[in-house]
Amino acid sequence: MTHRINRFAHIVRASFALAGSIVIFHLATDVLRERRLGGYQLVEQLGVGGMGEVWRARHRALVRPAAIKLMRAEVLGGSRSEVHAIQERFRREVQATADMQSPHTITIYDFGATRDGRLYYVMELLRGLDLEVMVKRHGPQPAERVVHLLRQACESLAEAHQRGLIHRDVKPSNLHVCVLGLDY
């Protein structure tokens, strides 16, 4: 009799282990699926702002690094008309930015929506430093360099303004000094 009870106990344990493994597999698959947007795999979160979060990502087929700005879920918590207005503003900004030609403006690669209605866009991943980090690491910059950098930022902003865009968050951490091809 004890032999049958032990055997039954082993079968029950094995069944629970198998069921647990299946649950864990499906949870891991769901997490992995949630970290994909279109052809891109989210790698790590780079920052969070009022409207969105920015992720380092990699295209699965092209193996190209990218940055993805994903609308935060909390932004969709308002009334239906508020959510629609926010989505439309996000969509217009992405479309206008994608049409910009300045070499000092990020390049947009893709645009889409998640199943829960959060919009996202994929852009080039900048290789370099933002101005806040640059000053912290290297101290105040020579006036000539500051003027050179500000002229580039103003060129990009002028084109944005011409297209009806207003950058509501111009600050040193949103301006980057980076490599563009062979140019620094």
Side-chain angles (χ1 to χ4, degrees), residues 95-180:
Q95 289 169 338
T97 303
D99 194 37
M100 291 177 62
Q101 300 296 310
S102 171
H104 310 298
T105 303
I106 58 157
T107 300
I108 303 289
Y109 296 149
D110 200 0
F111 176 71
T114 63
R115 287 187 206 136
D116 63 356
R118 295 191 298 161
L119 300 178
Y120 68 90
Y121 62 90
V122 183
M123 61 189 144
E124 68 182 305
L125 180 64
L126 301 176
R127 295 181 300 150
L129 302 171
D130 66 58
L131 295 185
E132 184 176 334
V133 170
M134 185 178 77
V135 171
K136 283 180 182 174
R137 285 188 190 168
H138 305 288
Q141 299 297 298
E144 303 82 30
R145 186 167 198 202
V146 172
V147 168
H148 178 71
L149 296 173
L150 287 175
R151 290 183 85 178
Q152 293 175 37
C154 288
E155 180 183 315
S156 179
L157 289 169
E159 184 181 15
H161 292 174
Q162 185 180 40
R163 296 174 187 284
L165 288 174
I166 305 293
H167 193 302
R168 291 180 294 273
D169 201 17
V170 177
K171 59 186 179 185
S173 62
N174 282 341
L175 298 171
H176 288 257
V177 177
C178 58
V179 177
L180 182 62

Side-chain angles (χ1 to χ4, degrees), residues 33-90:
R33 189 180 307 118
E34 288 302 315
R35 292 185 60 114
R36 288 186 189 154
L37 291 174
Y40 292 87
Q41 179 73 37
L42 301 180
V43 177
E44 71 175 307
Q45 192 175 46
L46 299 174
V48 178
M51 189 172 186
E53 47 194 51
V54 178
W55 290 79
R56 178 186 315 273
R58 183 179 319 110
H59 191 276
R60 290 189 310 248
L62 299 176
V63 194
R64 172 175 65 184
I68 294 181
K69 183 170 186 177
L70 173 64
M71 184 181 285
R72 293 178 48 217
E74 297 82 27
V75 172
L76 300 178
S79 71
R80 190 177 188 134
S81 62
E82 290 171 334
V83 169
H84 181 71
I86 290 169
Q87 288 174 324
E88 279 305 307
R89 187 178 85 203
F90 193 89

